[in-house]
Amino acid sequence: MEINDAIDMPRLQWYPGHMRKAERLVKENLKLVDMVVELLDARIPMSSANPVLREIVAGRPRLVVLNKSDLAEPTATRAWVQYFASQDIVAVPVDAVKGRGIKELVQEIQRLAVPRTEKLAKHGAKPRAARCMILGIPNVGKSSLINRLSGGARTKVENRPGVTRAKQWIRIGAQLELLDMPGILWPKFEDAQAALRLAFTGAISDTVYDVGGVVLQLLRALRTDYPAALCQRYELSDAIPDGIELLEEIGRRRGCLVRGGRIDYEKAEQMILTDFRSGRLGRVTLDPLPEADTDDTNVGMR
Ligand code: G4P
C-alpha cells in the first residue's frame, strides 16, 4: 500500500529537545543493564522501530519483542521472526495483555545476558542476576509488558548507588532483574508511510491528524491486502468499492446515519478505527518484510 492521496499526515509530538532528553535518559540507564529489550508492534515491526536505536544501545545485546502479536497475522509474525533471525536478532512474539510468549521471553533474556554477566564475574564482580531494560515508542506496550513480567506484584529490590529513587528494579525469578522504568523512544516521524501506519494502530493520538484521511488510507490498505476481512466484517460483496464509496457503504451497512439517511462520516470512521485496533477486523500485519537486496543491515533498528 502506498500513499497516493494528499492527506494531512500525522504530526508526531516529538521535537529535538524531546529526542535529546529521551536519548540521554536511555543512555544513562543503559549503564545499569546487561541488555535491552526492544518492543515493536507485531503489526508494524518496521514502522514502530526507533530510527536510531542501534546507535543508542551502543553494542549492548538486544532482543526484539513483537508485542500485540494477538492482533497481527500469525504467518506474517513467523516470517518477521525469521527475518530478525537472519539479522542475528532474537525476536519473540508476545501478547503482553494475556501473557502469551512471556515464558519464552524470560528464557531468551536470560540466555542473551549470560555472556556479559559471566564477563563481569571473570573481572571479579559478584555473580548476579541478568539486568535488562525495556525500550520502545509510546503505546507499544512497555508498561503492559513490565506489569506482566512482574506478575502484577512488583518485588522491589534495594536502591542502588547511581539509581534515583524513581528507578527501581523488579526481580523476575532468581536470574533476572528488570529496570522498572521503560525507555521511551520516538518513532520514525520523518517516514510518511510509517507515520500513517502508526496512526492506524493508534500509536499516534487521533487528535493530531486528519482522521478522515487516515481512515481512507486504512481502508485502501485493507482492501488491497485483507479484502476478505473487510467483506466478512461489513458484509460487503466481492466487488468492494474504493475510496469514499467504501466508507459510505460501510457506514450504510452499519447504520452510521444521520437524519435524512445521510452517512455519519465521523461515526463510520471511528467505528472502523476501533474495529481495526481491537482486532475485530481480524489479525492484520501492515508492514511487509524488507526486500532482501535493499536491506544490508537490520531494518528493525534503523
Ligand atoms: P506504553 O507503556 O508503551 O506506552 O504502552 P501501554 O503498556 O500503556 O499499552 C498501550 C495500549 O496497548 C494499552 O491499551 C494496552 O492495553 C495495549 N496493549 C499492550 N500490549 C498489548 C498486547 O500485547 N495486545 C493487545 N491487544 N494490546 C496490548 P489501551 O487501550 O491504551 O489501554 P487499556 O484500555 O488496555 O487500559
Side-chain angles (χ1 to χ4, degrees):
M1 197 247 350
E2 293 299 323
I3 300 167
N4 297 323
D5 301 336
I7 64 159
D8 241 359
M9 284 311 299
R11 288 183 303 280
L12 306 185
Q13 309 285 4
W14 283 90
Y15 303 103
H18 288 153
M19 287 153 64
R20 273 194 297 275
K21 189 171 172 213
E23 188 170 343
R24 200 186 61 237
L25 276 173
V26 170
K27 280 183 172 163
E28 275 170 23
N29 290 307
L30 209 56
K31 294 178 201 139
L32 308 171
V33 299
D34 301 311
M35 60 163 304
V36 299
V37 172
E38 183 194 14
L39 220 55
L40 300 177
D41 184 323
R43 296 167 294 177
I44 47 170
M46 202 160 37
S47 303
S48 58
N50 169 265
V52 295
L53 180 115
R54 204 152 37 135
E55 290 146 46
I56 294 177
V57 302
R60 280 278 189 282
R62 61 175 181 264
L63 179 148
V64 163
V65 167
L66 294 171
N67 193 40
K68 309 197 184 186
S69 60
D70 54 306
L71 300 174
E73 193 185 341
T75 43
T77 300
R78 279 195 290 277
W80 272 102
V81 168
Q82 273 172 12
Y83 167 76
F84 281 110
S86 76
Q87 308 285 320
D88 286 328
I89 294 171
V90 174
V92 183
V94 163
D95 170 351
V97 171
K98 297 231 169 69
R100 272 194 212 105
I102 294 294
K103 232 186 187 168
E104 295 83 345
L105 175 61
V106 170
Q107 281 165 1
E108 289 297 340
I109 294 175
Q110 285 174 343
R111 197 177 60 77
L112 276 171
V114 163
R116 195 176 130 86
T117 46
E118 281 186 349
K119 193 170 150 200
L120 291 173
K122 263 192 206 137
H123 286 84
K126 269 207 290 189
R128 60 159 174 76
R131 293 178 191 153
C132 81
M133 73 182 293
I134 291 179
L135 302 178
I137 64 167
N139 262 319
V140 73
K142 295 176 297 300
S143 314
S144 306
L145 183 61
I146 291 174
N147 278 334
R148 178 50 73 170
L149 282 166
S150 66
R154 298 182 179 185
T155 315
K156 299 276 162 88
V157 182
E158 81 284 3
N159 281 337
R160 296 214 168 87
V163 182
T164 64
R165 275 235 308 248
K167 288 178 204 155
Q168 300 279 355
W169 296 87
I170 301 164
R171 186 165 283 153
I172 297 151
Q175 297 303 318
L176 182 61
E177 285 169 18
L178 180 68
L179 192 59
D180 186 6
M181 193 207 77
I184 302 165
L185 295 171
W186 61 96
K188 295 181 180 180
F189 53 83
E190 278 163 1
D191 177 337
Q193 193 81 253
L196 195 53
R197 290 177 181 155
L198 289 163
F200 295 164
T201 57
I204 305 170
S205 161
D206 292 350
T207 57
V208 300
Y209 60 83
D210 160 30
V211 173
V214 165
V215 169
L216 285 182
Q217 294 287 348
L218 172 62
L219 287 176
R220 171 177 289 172
L222 295 172
R223 186 179 181 276
T224 307
D225 295 328
Y226 293 91
L230 269 182
C231 288
Q232 202 181 334
R233 177 79 193 155
Y234 301 120
E235 293 159 351
L236 305 171
S237 68
D238 284 348
I240 307 176
D242 202 359
I244 192 87
E245 285 169 18
L246 175 53
L247 177 67
E248 289 171 347
E249 179 68 14
I250 292 172
R252 256 190 305 276
R253 295 213 165 250
R254 282 297 153 133
C256 301
L257 302 169
V258 285
R259 212 179 289 164
R262 278 176 294 118
I263 304 294
D264 185 338
Y265 289 93
E266 244 173 65
K267 193 171 172 197
E269 287 158 6
Q270 282 308 327
M271 179 197 66
I272 292 163
L273 278 181
T274 305
D275 282 352
F276 172 71
R277 291 172 184 168
S278 63
R280 282 197 283 273
L281 264 161
R283 297 172 72 166
V284 168
T285 299
L286 294 162
D287 277 349
L289 287 172
E291 308 252 339
D293 56 351
T294 58
D295 181 66
D296 53 348
T297 56
N298 68 66
V299 75
M301 307 302 152
R302 274 205 296 251

